[in-house]
Amino acid sequence: MQLDCTQTPDLMIVHLRETRLDAAGAIDFKDGMRDLTSADARRVVLDLSRVGFIDSSGLGAVVAVRKFLGPDRPLELAGLTAAVEKVFRLTRMDSVFIIHRNVPADAGSFRDVV
Amino acid sequence: MFRQMRAAFVMSSDERGAHTCIVIDADPMAVRQALCALFDRLMAGRMSADARDAAQIVLAEALNNIVEHAYAQSPGEIELTIDISARGLNCRIMDAGAPLPGVGVPVGELAPLRPGDDLPEGGFGWHLIRSLSEDLNYRREGERNLLSFRISAQQYPH
């Protein structure tokens, strides 16, 4: 599971460098997100712009990440492709997450966006 | 110890690619590989992107349900047959695992989202299948499950 991170003093953007977030990768994704974020207290934005397909197991993993980050820094999402957006919309999870339309070119330009 | 490797799935199509049969090991990685082969090769350029997305979501949910539930206790194979026409995809999925609980296809109703409630991490699968497919039908035939549905080439906003 390829995950890497762009950081600013108050924000971390985690880029998921995979084309699919599915049942075969959901556990690796959760573990990877936990490793990247557990020693940190900054807001987390998950960049999904590379992900062209998500299934309900992948969606469940994103919800699980939101839960372990806790209520004080709810997971934010950015760059949803059409298929991913469709799954979030049909399950009404688009009303639960803060979803940014675009992933910023650099974390600095994103600092004030809520 | 030498162990013979076998393919995770076997796909065969007629010349026009209108009729395809895939036999898939009941395993999440085999399901992923079969869907990639299906949508990167066979479905490329057919139907709209929206209809292809809908088809891949429904097939993934149906196949993963079989891996996780029907074959929870034992390994097995899944046989997927797809007929492509101008109207869309007709899909039939057979497996020899445990039957669906209850008398038919689960209702697939989403849990209500209330502020303060614990968010659901699952229970989305049948809702997605019902939302994006038509003519959904399940029956038990002897020791096999048979699920069939259609994905319309004409998708409407949900």
Side-chain angles (χ1 to χ4, degrees), chain A:
Chain A
M1 182 63 53
Q2 282 267 0
L3 288 166
D4 56 57
C5 209
T6 310
Q7 311 209 15
T8 71
D10 55 1
L11 177 69
M12 60 193 298
I13 303 175
V14 180
H15 310 280
L16 177 51
R17 310 285 191 195
E18 304 279 346
T19 57
R20 305 174 74 85
L21 182 50
D22 61 12
I27 292 172
D28 275 358
F29 167 75
K30 273 193 278 191
D31 290 347
M33 287 298 291
R34 201 185 292 269
D35 290 347
L36 275 175
T37 60
S38 58
D40 204 297
R42 280 171 287 191
R43 277 170 60 200
V44 180
V45 178
L46 177 63
D47 166 15
L48 291 169
S49 57
R50 193 78 69 87
V51 179
F53 180 76
I54 191 169
D55 64 17
S56 63
S57 299
L59 176 66
V62 174
V63 173
V65 171
R66 182 193 155 96
K67 285 185 183 175
F68 71 64
L69 284 174
D72 295 333
R73 53 166 183 164
L75 179 66
E76 301 169 41
L77 308 174
L80 273 57
T81 60
V84 174
E85 201 270 334
K86 186 191 283 286
V87 168
F88 272 80
R89 184 161 31 82
L90 287 169
T91 57
R92 299 189 217 124
M93 282 293 150
D94 58 344
S95 67
V96 169
F97 287 87
I98 297 166
I99 298 176
H100 304 279
R101 185 177 296 274
N102 298 309
V103 184
D106 63 279
S109 66
F110 206 47
R111 197 172 302 166
D112 301 322
V113 179
V114 175

Side-chain angles (χ1 to χ4, degrees), chain B:
Chain B
M1 186 78 178
F2 182 78
R3 186 166 160 265
Q4 191 181 349
M5 295 295 287
R6 60 189 276 278
F9 72 94
V10 177
M11 180 159 103
S12 56
S13 273
D14 65 358
E15 255 173 48
R16 288 161 44 245
H19 178 83
T20 298
C21 184
I22 312 180
V23 179
I24 310 163
D25 283 355
D27 169 85
M29 195 55 81
V31 168
R32 175 196 281 182
Q33 289 168 356
L35 288 174
C36 285
L38 194 56
F39 285 88
D40 292 350
R41 291 188 245 148
L42 185 72
M43 293 298 297
R46 291 176 191 256
M47 304 201 301
S48 65
D50 203 27
R52 285 199 304 274
D53 286 345
Q56 184 163 196
I57 292 165
V58 174
L59 283 169
E61 297 304 333
L63 295 170
N64 284 328
N65 271 333
I66 294 169
V67 173
E68 287 166 30
H69 300 294
Y71 285 124
Q73 306 298 328
S74 60
E77 286 181 341
I78 306 167
E79 192 179 315
L80 165 63
T81 307
I82 297 179
D83 287 287
I84 308 177
S85 71
R87 292 179 61 211
L89 292 189
N90 281 308
C91 305
R92 281 160 46 92
I93 306 179
M94 281 189 291
D95 69 79
L100 277 179
V103 288
V105 182
V107 177
E109 202 166 344
L110 290 179
L113 291 173
R114 283 186 292 256
D117 279 5
D118 210 21
L119 287 172
E121 290 177 39
F124 309 118
W126 284 110
H127 175 74
L128 289 169
I129 292 171
R130 282 197 180 274
S131 301
L132 296 171
S133 70
E134 294 168 20
D135 301 335
L136 181 63
N137 191 277
Y138 166 78
R139 65 176 192 273
R140 184 80 175 167
E141 255 180 24
E143 295 296 302
R144 287 152 75 89
N145 297 310
L146 180 62
L147 184 73
S148 60
F149 49 85
R150 194 161 60 83
I151 310 291
S152 175
Q154 180 70 53
Q155 292 288 311
Y156 300 96
H158 291 279

